[in-house]
């Protein structure tokens, strides 16, 4: 069943269905599949160089159903993923047609994105098709291809059910004929053009700019077995446009922020949520950790809590930084405790992640707390800040009752004496430790390693009036998240919000059936 109702249109002229393909069954990376699917434009191009192997791999890690990728031909006729743009050591955008595949593979796709991506190479289509097999679907924006070669490459890779070929109508005719209709086609519709009687080519999917999508258009195409894709790029890539397209009945949505689309839709659908989740150092998968962009992203992903780390400069000012040294996440060097606030405030905390975020600073604690929106709770990792200063800062910002503080039991005992209203969360590795902590510290929650979790442990904590928070390691998959939810965990801290959302989606559906 669709998330939203599809309005059925009456009165449009019928299509010439003889030219249409039979209903095409795509591979489903997610089981059960979602009724509405997103396509990551150029892969996860905000996390890695666009159209690269890494941009595709990250989309697979996020549990996305589709990537949308451009295809061109090299000078020697090889298909590669690229749609133009400047590369390192080139002042102007390069033309793929002017270089052989061997020459292209010597060029660096990553250095212009961030230093950490230096050495990222052009990806041949054949390598892309091998990488997606059995993992994710791909919509190909065919800007310059050879139809027969394209069909042969798709067939040889064994991914015909995972590919949607888009391009000029003449190319689509050739693909249908050469593949015997076994490869799906995508046709672009121009602004304002409605379906017409007598169409001589009916594709598997039609593509519209998102502001052209209406329930009438969607219903008409659906009547004839054709699916609808909405392009939500640029200024149109925002929640009100997504809602409009989904409610109209679009099947797919092309977006630069697939993680935000999924979180937005599921946040509206899954009420109440089966579990709360915290984003570790903000949405650190999508933006530089412990920076304001990471927290702004976390709010758009509808996190219940945001986790942050606080350290103190040489002159007693507080900054959001995880490590004791500046080296990893800024362009500074040395221990934070030896740097002045003035020095830290000038450092760049974003360029290492993506050159587009150059100039991002490590925020002060005051700047961060001033920007926290209503409804979001705080997971305060007091790495290096005196309990008196922590209490005074939370009081100043009126956030005492929205904060849980993580630190050692000794530290939290001091904090309790200063202000017992501040919720306390010590680490605990066993039921025996929880029992020992409970009488004197009266913690709100305990922070527990994932490998310690069990239903018996969580039940023991709950019986003592203590919640259980745990950080999900990288290797834990959606099934692992669901297991913890079924055991009764109170909060999952994660670097992978879409795993949390998928686990909640599946658990919510299971409970609805009971």
């Amino acid at each position: 069943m669709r998330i939203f109702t599809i309005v059925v249109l009456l009165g449009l002229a019928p299509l010439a269905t003889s030219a249409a393909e039979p209903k095409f069954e795509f591979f489903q990376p997610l089981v059960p599949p979602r009724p509405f699917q997103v396509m990551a434009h150029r892969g996860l191009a905000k996390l890695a160089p666009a159209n690269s192997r890494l941009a595709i791999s990250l989309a697979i890690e996020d549990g996305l159903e589709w990537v949308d990728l451009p295809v061109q031909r090299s000078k020697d006729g090889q298909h590669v993923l690229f749609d133009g743009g400047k590369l390192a050591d080139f002042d102007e955008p390069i033309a793929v047609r002017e270089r052989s595949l061997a020459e292209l593979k010597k060029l660096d796709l990553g250095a212009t994105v961030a230093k950490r991506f230096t050495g990222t190479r052009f990806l041949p289509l054949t390598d892309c098709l091998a990488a997606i097999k059995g993992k994710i679907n791909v919509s190909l924006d065919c800007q310059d291809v050879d139809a027969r070669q394209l069909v042969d490459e798709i067939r040889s890779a064994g991914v015909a059910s995972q590919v949607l070929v888009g391009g000029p109508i003449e190319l689509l005719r050739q693909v249908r004929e050469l593949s015997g209709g076994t490869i799906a086609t995508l046709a672009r519709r121009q602004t304002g053009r409605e379906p017409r009687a007598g169409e001589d080519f009916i594709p598997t999917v039609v593509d519209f700019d998102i502001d052209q999508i209406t329930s009438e258009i969607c219903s008409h195409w659906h009547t004839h077995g054709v699916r609808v894709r909405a392009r939500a790029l640029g200024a149109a890539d925002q929640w009100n446009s997504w809602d409009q397209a989904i409610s109209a009945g679009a099947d797919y949505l092309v977006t630069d922020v697939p993680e935000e689309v999924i979180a937005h839709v599921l946040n509206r659908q899954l009420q109440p949520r089966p579990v709360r989740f915290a984003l570790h150092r903000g949405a650190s998968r999508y933006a530089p950790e412990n920076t304001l962009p990471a927290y702004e992203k976390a709010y758009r992903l509808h996190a219940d809590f945001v986790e942050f780390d606080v350290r103190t400069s040489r002159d007693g000012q507080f900054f959001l930084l995880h490590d004791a040294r500046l080296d990893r996440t800024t362009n500074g060097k040395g221990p934070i405790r030896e740097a002045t606030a003035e020095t830290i405030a000038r450092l760049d905390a974003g360029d290492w992640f993506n050159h587009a975020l150059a100039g991002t600073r490590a925020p002060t604690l005051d700047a961060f707390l001033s920007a926290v929106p209503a409804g979001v709770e705080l997971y305060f990792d007091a790495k290096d800040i005196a309990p008196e200063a922590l209490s005074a800062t939370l009081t100043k910002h009126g956030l005492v009752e929205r904060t849980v503080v993580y630190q050692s039991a000794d530290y939290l005992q001091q904090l309790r004496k200063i202000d017992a209203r501040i919720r306390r969360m010590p680490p605990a590795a066993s039921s025996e430790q929880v029992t020992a902590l409970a009488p004197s510290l009266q913690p709100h929650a305990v922070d527990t390693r994932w490998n310690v979790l069990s239903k018996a442990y969580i039940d023991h904590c709950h019986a003592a009036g203590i919640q259980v928070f745990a950080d999900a390691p990288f290797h834990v998959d959606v099934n692992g998240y669901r297991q913890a939810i079924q055991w009764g965990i109170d909060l999952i801290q994660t670097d992978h919000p879409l795993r949390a959302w998928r686990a909640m989606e599946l658990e919510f559906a299971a409970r609805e059936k009971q």
Side-chain angles (χ1 to χ4, degrees):
M1 172 178 237
R2 286 192 171 277
I3 297 173
F4 299 95
T5 302
I6 297 174
V7 180
V8 178
L9 174 70
L10 299 176
L12 283 180
L15 298 174
T17 56
S18 61
E21 298 163 353
K23 184 169 176 59
F24 195 92
E25 295 298 331
F26 288 107
F27 168 72
Q28 295 296 345
L30 300 182
V31 179
R34 294 189 178 111
F36 174 77
Q37 298 183 356
V38 296
M39 296 183 178
H41 185 234
R42 304 327 188 217
L44 285 187
K46 292 185 181 295
L47 279 68
N51 311 309
S52 66
R53 183 186 297 275
L54 181 57
I56 298 168
S57 296
L58 291 172
I60 293 169
E61 283 183 9
D62 266 0
L64 301 180
E65 298 99 338
W66 290 84
V67 285
D68 175 68
L69 304 170
V71 184
Q72 296 189 39
R73 273 188 294 177
S74 64
K75 185 177 181 179
D76 52 348
Q78 300 303 304
H79 291 141
V80 297
L81 305 185
F82 193 63
D83 60 351
K86 292 183 179 181
L87 301 182
D89 302 324
F90 287 86
D91 294 329
E92 299 294 332
I94 72 160
V96 168
R97 265 298 203 169
E98 296 176 1
R99 289 174 170 80
S100 68
L101 178 60
E103 291 171 326
L104 290 171
K105 291 176 77 172
K106 293 178 182 178
L107 302 181
D108 193 329
L109 282 175
T112 54
V113 179
K115 183 178 179 180
R116 64 195 178 116
F117 299 127
T118 298
T120 301
R121 304 303 178 192
F122 273 77
L123 187 64
L125 178 61
T126 51
D127 290 0
C128 166
L129 298 177
I132 69 161
K133 186 172 184 179
K135 296 177 181 177
I136 196 168
N137 296 326
V138 60
S139 174
L140 297 178
D141 176 8
C142 295
Q143 301 174 3
D144 175 19
V145 302
D146 178 272
R148 184 175 297 278
Q149 180 181 333
L150 179 67
V151 169
D152 288 345
E153 288 173 345
I154 294 170
R155 282 177 161 173
S156 295
V159 293
S161 67
Q162 293 178 242
V163 178
L164 177 62
V165 173
I169 291 295
E170 187 51 42
L171 169 68
L172 304 187
R173 292 184 202 279
Q174 294 177 57
V175 168
R176 177 179 293 178
E177 181 179 353
L178 291 167
S179 71
T182 61
I183 296 175
T185 56
L186 167 73
R188 179 93 170 112
R189 292 283 156 171
Q190 298 301 316
T191 300
R193 183 185 174 192
E194 294 186 352
R196 299 173 181 174
E199 292 275 5
D200 63 349
F201 184 87
I202 307 303
T204 316
V205 182
V206 289
D207 176 89
F208 291 89
D209 288 336
I210 197 165
D211 59 1
Q212 298 298 311
I213 298 288
T214 65
S215 58
E216 291 81 9
I217 287 174
C218 290
S219 181
H220 180 70
W221 285 107
H222 288 157
T223 299
H224 296 277
V226 179
R227 280 160 273 191
V228 177
R229 187 176 85 163
R231 293 174 61 83
L233 303 176
D237 209 357
Q238 54 185 307
W239 68 266
N240 55 336
S241 296
W242 307 332
D243 285 347
Q244 182 270 329
I246 295 169
S247 62
D251 302 277
Y252 309 110
L253 190 148
V254 184
T255 173
D256 286 316
V257 285
E259 67 283 352
E260 291 186 28
V261 176
I262 292 169
H264 172 74
V265 171
L266 294 181
N267 180 60
R268 296 180 60 176
Q269 183 184 13
L270 310 183
Q271 296 296 337
R273 297 184 192 177
V275 74
R276 294 178 298 168
F277 75 98
L279 284 181
H280 185 224
R281 307 177 197 173
S284 56
R285 181 170 176 80
Y286 306 102
E289 65 178 62
N290 277 311
T291 64
L292 294 184
Y295 293 103
E296 291 161 2
K297 184 74 165 183
Y299 308 144
R300 294 195 298 274
L301 293 174
H302 301 283
D304 300 280
F305 277 75
V306 289
E307 190 265 356
F308 58 100
D309 308 279
V310 175
R311 291 191 178 275
T312 304
S313 68
R314 186 175 75 192
D315 47 353
Q317 299 301 305
F318 311 117
F319 289 87
L320 269 61
L321 289 159
H322 176 273
D323 299 0
R325 295 180 61 87
L326 295 163
D327 306 55
R328 183 176 64 85
T329 58
T330 77
N331 60 342
K333 300 291 183 184
I336 294 163
R337 269 290 186 178
E338 296 178 7
T340 64
E342 182 180 7
T343 297
I344 296 171
R346 290 199 305 263
L347 297 177
D348 192 311
D351 186 64
W352 71 271
F353 189 89
N354 191 308
H355 292 328
L357 292 168
T360 300
R361 308 302 179 195
T364 65
L365 179 58
D366 278 332
F368 165 68
L369 295 179
S370 296
V372 177
V376 177
E377 297 193 71
L378 302 176
Y379 188 131
F380 195 137
D381 188 340
K383 282 279 192 293
D384 181 14
I385 178 174
E388 296 83 0
L390 185 155
S391 174
T393 305
L394 290 179
T395 300
K396 170 185 172 183
H397 289 276
L399 292 169
V400 166
E401 295 179 353
R402 286 168 57 188
T403 303
V404 174
V405 176
Y406 169 75
Q407 245 288 2
S408 68
D410 289 343
Y411 180 99
L412 296 177
Q413 287 286 14
Q414 297 177 58
L415 188 61
R416 183 185 179 206
K417 292 176 182 177
I418 296 166
D419 190 339
R421 296 175 303 161
I422 300 175
R423 293 176 292 177
R424 301 165 296 282
M425 180 170 57
S430 66
S431 297
E432 291 74 20
Q433 284 189 15
V434 173
T435 299
L437 286 167
S440 59
L441 187 59
Q442 296 181 0
H444 170 78
V446 288
D447 178 89
T448 301
R449 290 186 180 276
W450 198 265
N451 60 5
V452 173
L453 293 177
S454 67
K455 186 177 188 306
Y457 175 85
I458 293 172
D459 287 347
H460 178 86
C461 293
H462 288 173
I466 299 170
Q467 295 188 18
V468 179
F469 290 20
D471 190 355
F474 173 81
H475 67 272
V476 176
D477 62 13
V478 169
N479 291 331
Y481 282 52
R482 281 196 73 189
Q483 180 68 85
I485 294 170
Q486 291 166 1
W487 284 339
I489 194 170
D490 299 284
L491 180 135
I492 296 173
Q493 181 176 249
T494 182
D495 293 305
H496 296 272
L498 292 194
R499 293 183 190 176
W501 277 117
R502 179 59 174 171
M504 287 190 283
E505 180 182 20
L506 294 174
E507 191 61 23
F508 185 90
R511 293 179 184 184
E512 287 285 286
K513 291 179 180 179
Q514 293 177 354

